[in-house]
């Protein structure tokens, strides 16, 4: 009897431990978040493109048009069990270079500076009608004629 109670208590303790571990939040850091002391070393009007890359690393994104602009993007999320992840912190550091490759501007944006974008959920209409697979397979039966002989 004592052995069964100790097995039950062990199983109960194991299940409680698994439940507690499964419900603890999981923190994820994604992207490139340069430390503040390295960011302070970037001097507007003095630091070159090569120096920025050696200090801050490779940018997350480079703007394709206009002046050369580098973005360092980082995101910290927290997920508990099977729930959707919640964004706890987001930073976007923007470095703009002039034509000579010298830093012209440096800007930092946070989570509160962002805006939610709702995509439009529409379908583009197409001409014609929708056919089932059976209609598509049987639609051409009898449409082909034999080529005429010698005329």
């Amino acid at each position: 009897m004592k052995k069964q109670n100790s097995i039950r208590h062990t199983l109960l303790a194991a299940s409680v431990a698994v439940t507690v571990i499964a419900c603890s939040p999981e923190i994820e850091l994604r992207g490139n978040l340069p430390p503040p002391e390295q960011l302070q070393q970037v001097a507007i009007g003095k630091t070159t493109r090569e120096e920025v890359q050696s200090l801050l690393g490779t940018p997350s994104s480079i703007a394709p048009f206009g002046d050369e602009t580098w973005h360092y993007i980082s995101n910290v999320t927290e997920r508990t069990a099977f729930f959707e992840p919640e964004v706890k912190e987001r930073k976007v550091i923007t470095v703009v270079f002039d034509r000579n490759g010298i830093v012209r501007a440096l800007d930092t944006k946070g989570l509160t500076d962002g805006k939610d974008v709702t995509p439009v959920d529409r379908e583009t209409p197409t001409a014609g009608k929708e056919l089932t697979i059976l209609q598509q397979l049987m639609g051409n039966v009898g449409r082909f004629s034999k080529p005429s002989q010698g005329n």
Side-chain angles (χ1 to χ4, degrees):
M1 187 73 170
K2 286 185 178 184
K3 190 172 185 177
Q4 286 181 344
N5 281 341
S6 73
I7 291 174
R8 285 183 186 163
H9 289 289
T10 304
L11 288 175
L12 179 63
S15 65
V16 167
V18 167
T19 303
V20 168
I21 291 171
C23 291
S24 64
E26 181 180 327
I27 308 282
E28 293 182 352
L29 172 64
R30 296 180 186 244
N32 185 353
L33 181 59
E37 55 272 3
Q38 288 179 342
L39 199 57
Q40 291 173 352
Q41 294 179 14
V42 177
I44 296 174
K46 295 180 182 178
T47 310
T48 65
R49 185 181 295 119
E50 292 78 21
E51 292 171 335
V52 169
Q53 188 165 6
S54 69
L55 282 170
L56 306 180
T58 304
S60 305
S61 172
I62 297 176
F65 303 109
D67 295 332
E68 188 165 351
T69 305
W70 290 3
H71 301 285
Y72 293 88
I73 304 167
S74 67
N75 206 21
V76 177
T77 58
E78 183 178 291
R79 177 192 296 262
T80 304
F82 53 84
F83 297 109
E84 286 291 320
E86 179 182 349
V87 178
K88 292 294 187 180
E89 181 182 356
R90 179 177 295 136
K91 279 196 178 177
V92 178
I93 299 166
T94 304
V95 183
V96 181
F97 298 98
D98 63 13
R99 291 183 182 188
N100 298 323
I102 306 294
V103 175
R104 188 180 78 202
L106 183 67
D107 189 25
T108 302
K109 301 281 186 185
L111 185 61
T112 57
D113 298 317
K115 296 179 183 175
D116 287 333
V117 176
T118 307
V120 177
D121 188 25
R122 294 186 295 211
E123 290 184 17
T124 304
T126 58
K129 59 181 179 178
E130 292 186 25
L131 300 174
T132 65
I133 187 75
L134 188 58
Q135 289 172 327
Q136 291 176 16
L137 290 174
M138 301 302 289
N140 287 327
V141 173
R143 287 194 177 177
F144 300 106
S145 60
K146 292 182 182 180
S148 58
Q149 298 284 334
N151 289 14

